[in-house]
Amino acid sequence: MWAFTPSIAGRDAPSSLGPDLVLVVSNSRDNAALPHVAVLALAGAPATDLTVLMEAGDPRPGMTVDVTKNRTIPKRWLVSCEGSITRKKMREVFAAEIQYRCPEPE
């Protein structure tokens, strides 16, 4: 989980609230080799079927990872590491992302 501050030119919506929070979901090998990282947005919104709730023991309890808000950002925007989530929580995130991208037929 990282805080990032985009350059003004690349910012979707300027914020006076400080850095945005994201969960880096690309793997470490790619992150070391490439200038960008794949991320999912974190928000304070209530949990839904397309979000994963950060719980006690996670870096930001009460926040949600929104699997519908994925993007790549330049690594230079990353400001500070806010903590790591467990492998179990990362599996929950990937499962929610798969559910979003590949819904089961009705």
Side-chain angles (χ1 to χ4, degrees), residues 41-81:
L42 271 88
T48 70
D49 289 344
L50 300 176
T51 63
V52 176
L53 179 65
M54 295 291 108
E55 300 166 313
D58 291 322
R60 293 289 179 115
M63 294 196 79
T64 59
V65 178
D66 187 340
V67 298
T68 68
K69 306 234 189 241
N70 65 324
R71 61 194 244 190
T72 58
I73 62 171
K75 285 192 296 191
R76 69 179 185 277
W77 287 0
L78 298 176
V79 176
S80 62
C81 181

Side-chain angles (χ1 to χ4, degrees), residues 18-29:
D20 296 319
L21 293 172
V22 291
L23 179 66
V24 175
V25 294
S26 47
N27 69 49
S28 298
R29 184 176 33 108

Side-chain angles (χ1 to χ4, degrees), residues 58 67 73 82-83 87 89-90:
D58 291 322
V67 298
I73 62 171
E82 301 291 311
R87 288 181 187 266
K89 184 63 71 175
M90 188 59 95

